[in-house]
Amino acid sequence: PGIGMPRRATVAARAAHAAGGAVLFGACDEDVAVPYRPFVDALRHYVVHAPEEVLATHVRTHRGELARLVPELAGRVPDLPPPQVAEAETERFLLFEAVTGLLAAASRERPLVLVLDDLHWAGAPEVLLLKHLVRSSEPMRVLVIGTYRDTDLARTHPLTAALADPG
């Protein structure tokens, strides 16, 4: 604590923005444990401002899966198909693929910096989505910056295991 991680992330994000990149920001909250919160915040901003064609192309591939996290998608894409109803694990995979797909599509327009702040307050859902994103084979120009306090991570915290995972 106190070494200025959020400030460093901000400096990097501003430099990327000045160079023509887009910056998406989301943060975990100590008091409000909403699943996928940092991704919801970051993607909501993008969906509200995204080019219509990017969203339409995304929906042709991923249907309305992203609306599970970002209901604003329905306001931007007419006749948005509903998310697929399946077993919980399948629905989660489809959601993760939709998030990855949107970030990949957005990064074709211009490079992205995704800042995820306060990951020491992240739960398993956020960490699993982050792992899915960074392991994706989908071509994308996305830099993910995650900030966390290692002093606030217990050995059992989901982020601790993710950071130790070499794969």
Side-chain angles (χ1 to χ4, degrees):
I3 66 166
M5 248 336 159
R7 185 177 185 294
R8 291 178 184 188
T10 301
V11 168
R14 284 185 177 157
H17 186 265
V23 177
L24 304 177
F25 178 85
C28 298
D29 190 302
E30 179 180 26
D31 299 320
V32 182
V34 175
Y36 309 111
R37 169 86 183 261
F39 290 96
V40 170
D41 292 346
L43 296 175
R44 178 177 287 145
H45 178 81
Y46 180 75
V47 165
V48 168
H49 297 95
E52 288 181 19
E53 182 53 38
V54 171
L55 296 178
T57 300
H58 179 267
V59 167
R60 281 194 292 278
T61 303
H62 298 283
R63 304 182 39 86
E65 298 302 327
L66 191 65
R68 293 180 195 274
L69 287 186
V70 185
E72 290 83 355
L73 182 63
R76 294 287 322 273
V77 177
D79 302 320
L80 181 71
Q84 183 175 329
V85 176
E87 293 180 17
E89 289 296 312
T90 301
E91 286 183 3
R92 183 171 69 179
F93 175 78
L94 293 171
L95 175 64
F96 287 10
E97 284 291 293
V99 168
T100 302
L102 183 65
L103 292 172
S107 75
R108 283 190 281 282
E109 297 289 312
R110 60 188 190 162
L112 293 180
V113 175
L114 174 62
V115 179
L116 303 173
D117 197 23
D118 293 327
L119 288 173
H120 51 278
W121 290 323
E126 296 83 17
V127 173
L128 289 172
L129 179 49
L130 177 58
K131 282 176 60 174
H132 186 87
L133 174 65
V134 299
R135 289 182 172 173
S136 175
S137 61
E138 177 109 25
M140 62 181 91
R141 300 181 303 164
V142 178
L143 170 64
V144 178
I145 300 174
T147 68
Y148 64 94
R149 281 186 256 159
D150 61 354
T151 56
D152 287 1
L153 292 182
R155 288 181 182 228
T156 57
H157 192 284
L159 186 60
T160 302
L163 291 169
D165 185 356

